[in-house]
Amino acid sequence: MSIPQERRLVTAIPGPKSQELLARKQAAVPPGIGTTLPVFVTRAGGGVIEDIDGNSLIDFGSGIAVTSVGNSAPRVVERVQKQVADFTHTCFMVTPYESYVNVCEKLNELTPGDHEKRSFLVNSGAEAVENAVKVARLATGRQAVVVFDHGYHGRTLLTMTLTAKNMPYKQGFGPYAPEVYRVPLPYPFRWPGENPAEEAYAQAVDVIEKQIGAKNVAAVVIEPIAGEGGFIEPAKGFLPRIAEFCKANGIVFVADEVQTGFARTGDLFACEDEGVVPDIICTAKGIAGGLPLAGVTGCAEIMDKVHVGGLGGTYGGNPLACEAALAVLETIEQEDLVGKARRIGEIMLPRLKAMQERHPVIGDVRGRGAMIAIELVKPGTKEPNPEALAEVVKRCHAEGLLVLTAGTYGNVLRFLPPLVMPEHLLEEGLTILEKAFA
Ligand code: PLZ
């Protein structure tokens, strides 16, 4: 790896050059586009991000679960460089090219279930989810879509409607799309009852049968681990029961694996953990090492119902992004990134649990593989503690550890390191975190 795999601070964070650029950003870009950490990036790779002031930061974010293979991963660079010199765009719907077909064949092969599948490619996670709903509606002739508390699916009109949290995603942007219904998610840390999976399932079915009518439901859309909602793993047993209910009622079960997919959770796809086979699976983020690409993969019998020309988009499956995806899939396989994700979890979870013992502000430590979070509370209660979160994040950032937040209650610190993160940097990052809590 050409970038030194070390943390190096040569200025305060952000440094003077980043501050100058931040002022220009503030004058040129509306405040609606937020900034987690205002260091302006010049290079990144492996487990680090270098900024314009010469600092090198440990990356616990992967650009929100995107650069799982690392930034500018060697195979990605090589394939994209060749492609950019050959041709940059034809539009797959106008004159096709092989790499798009290769990516779809791979998605059909690698996603859960050995039934016959079809895939098509779009540009973003939101576009993938929106297209899954289009396909499900056409295939079933039904309209209603069921989503869950704490869900996040994107920022377009439909996917914003599917998203649970008002601030900052929805406030003022209505009216929302019709025929979207929300049901409970068994959030183990906060569920009031004894049997979260069964109780949430019963409540969800009650809403579907009594308020919507199961025969009116086109799709149930769920993240196998709620990402933006705070890395909430639904209580075990819930996902398989919802999938069964869908099957029994002719409802298309859509797994939104935009954040959880491609080895992130220590399985290639998070649904595999409980053996759930979705009818449609949406992928994006980790699929192409940072190039914009997303996939919709589903049962052939559902996908083939859509008339010729009913799906598409100018850039969907752009040749550069497809080459990047093929490089990513090769890297995941050859560098055993599924195994690496598990190893990251094995290192992080015990250290975080030890921190929890010492610091009662840590209410919960959870996650799988390299998708790990801690939830901060007022000590001795489960009351959310976003103030403590802000303080810890500030200290981590000042020390050169990039961390992200999440959560319906704004009190979750989440870790999404690149799966190629060197172990010494992972350990160093955890030590910075320990000091921040102390
Ligand atoms: N589904 C499960 O996590 C994107 C959002 C960043 P796009 N999550 C990061 C932000 O604040 O905008 C996401 C997701 C799940 C869908 C999406 C949407 O993916 O590629 O951002 O459209």
Side-chain angles (χ1 to χ4, degrees):
M1 208 159 297
S2 61
I3 302 187
Q5 294 297 297
E6 60 176 20
R7 181 175 67 109
R8 185 179 64 245
L9 296 184
V10 296
T11 69
I13 301 288
K17 289 183 184 156
S18 280
Q19 287 191 28
E20 235 179 272
L21 279 169
L22 182 62
R24 280 174 53 200
K25 181 215 164 210
Q26 280 161 349
V29 181
I33 304 288
T35 307
T36 301
L37 174 57
V39 299
F40 282 72
V41 178
T42 48
R43 265 201 327 172
V48 301
I49 291 179
E50 285 184 357
D51 76 9
I52 191 169
D53 290 287
N55 300 296
S56 176
L57 286 78
I58 301 176
D59 180 13
F60 272 16
S62 301
I64 323 189
V66 171
T67 52
S68 299
V69 295
N71 252 292
S72 300
R75 288 184 187 83
V76 172
V77 171
E78 196 186 321
R79 287 190 83 128
V80 172
Q81 275 177 342
K82 172 155 190 327
Q83 181 61 44
V84 79
D86 287 345
F87 67 95
T88 49
H89 175 82
T90 63
C91 185
F92 187 75
M93 304 181 299
V94 177
T95 47
Y97 37 88
E98 184 180 347
S99 57
Y100 185 116
V101 180
N102 289 339
V103 172
C104 292
E105 285 173 351
K106 278 282 182 193
L107 286 171
N108 295 344
E109 177 197 323
L110 295 171
T111 50
D114 46 22
H115 51 285
E116 195 175 343
K117 292 175 215 158
R118 305 278 187 264
S119 291
F120 64 98
L121 304 176
V122 291
N123 302 294
S124 68
E127 220 187 322
V129 175
E130 182 128 8
N131 272 284
V133 172
K134 279 171 64 172
V135 172
R137 281 180 168 161
L138 186 144
T140 58
R142 306 170 177 184
Q143 295 187 350
V145 181
V146 172
V147 289
F148 294 81
D149 285 339
H150 313 288
Y152 181 92
H153 301 287
R155 292 180 185 262
T156 62
L157 176 61
L158 178 60
T159 57
M160 171 178 67
T161 308
L162 301 180
T163 292
K165 193 175 174 180
N166 177 54
M167 269 306 271
Y169 307 121
K170 302 171 82 162
Q171 177 58 42
F173 298 140
Y176 307 113
E179 288 305 315
V180 173
Y181 300 88
R182 195 169 305 285
V183 298
L185 184 81
Y187 184 162
F189 181 62
R190 296 196 171 275
W191 191 263
E194 292 287 302
N195 299 301
E198 276 141 61
E199 290 159 17
Y201 175 77
Q203 290 176 23
V205 168
D206 202 56
V207 171
I208 292 172
E209 288 181 339
K210 299 295 178 299
Q211 298 181 26
I212 316 167
K215 287 203 158 39
N216 298 317
V217 179
V220 165
V221 182
I222 189 164
E223 298 163 87
I225 299 177
E228 303 302 308
F231 288 15
I232 305 162
E233 255 188 285
K236 292 278 184 229
F238 183 72
L239 280 177
R241 290 192 72 182
I242 291 286
E244 263 166 49
F245 179 85
C246 288
K247 190 167 237 117
N249 290 279
I251 298 167
V252 178
F253 180 86
V254 179
D256 177 347
E257 291 238 21
V258 166
Q259 192 156 162
T260 51
F262 299 105
R264 174 56 53 188
T265 63
D267 285 301
L268 196 51
F269 296 98
C271 278
E272 292 168 28
D273 184 60
E274 291 188 271
V276 169
V277 177
D279 299 310
I280 296 183
I281 174 165
C282 299
T283 52
K285 288 188 185 281
I287 191 176
L291 278 87
L293 187 71
V296 183
T297 301
C299 306
E301 62 197 43
I302 294 175
M303 302 288 274
D304 287 350
K305 288 223 163 86
V306 180
H307 47 275
V308 173
L311 303 168
T314 305
Y315 293 115
N318 170 272
L320 303 178
C322 286
E323 288 296 331
L326 294 170
V328 163
L329 292 170
E330 199 183 304
T331 307
I332 289 176
E333 202 181 301
Q334 298 206 347
E335 296 185 16
D336 182 26
L337 294 190
V338 168
K340 291 227 164 84
R342 289 189 181 201
R343 173 95 187 118
I344 287 172
E346 282 160 15
I347 293 173
M348 294 193 87
L349 284 170
R351 281 194 68 178
L352 294 171
K353 289 200 164 130
M355 283 182 222
Q356 183 182 20
E357 303 269 290
R358 289 195 298 278
H359 305 291
V361 73
I362 302 178
D364 196 26
V365 174
R366 57 178 179 252
R368 296 207 302 264
M371 185 168 183
I372 305 280
I374 57 187
E375 177 159 354
L376 303 193
V377 294
K378 307 252 156 84
T381 73
K382 287 195 174 180
E383 207 186 314
N385 196 341
E387 300 80 15
L389 178 70
E391 190 59 37
V392 169
V393 167
K394 199 173 92 187
R395 284 164 194 249
C396 290
H397 288 175
E399 288 301 315
L401 173 67
L402 173 57
V403 289
L404 306 177
T405 60
T408 298
Y409 310 104
N411 65 331
V412 174
L413 191 58
R414 60 169 155 169
F415 311 112
L416 293 161
L419 307 181
V420 296
M421 168 74 67
E423 273 184 34
H424 74 276
L425 288 180
L426 190 64
E427 298 280 4
E428 191 178 343
L430 289 165
T431 303
I432 292 170
L433 190 67
E434 262 160 17
K435 282 194 192 131
F437 275 106

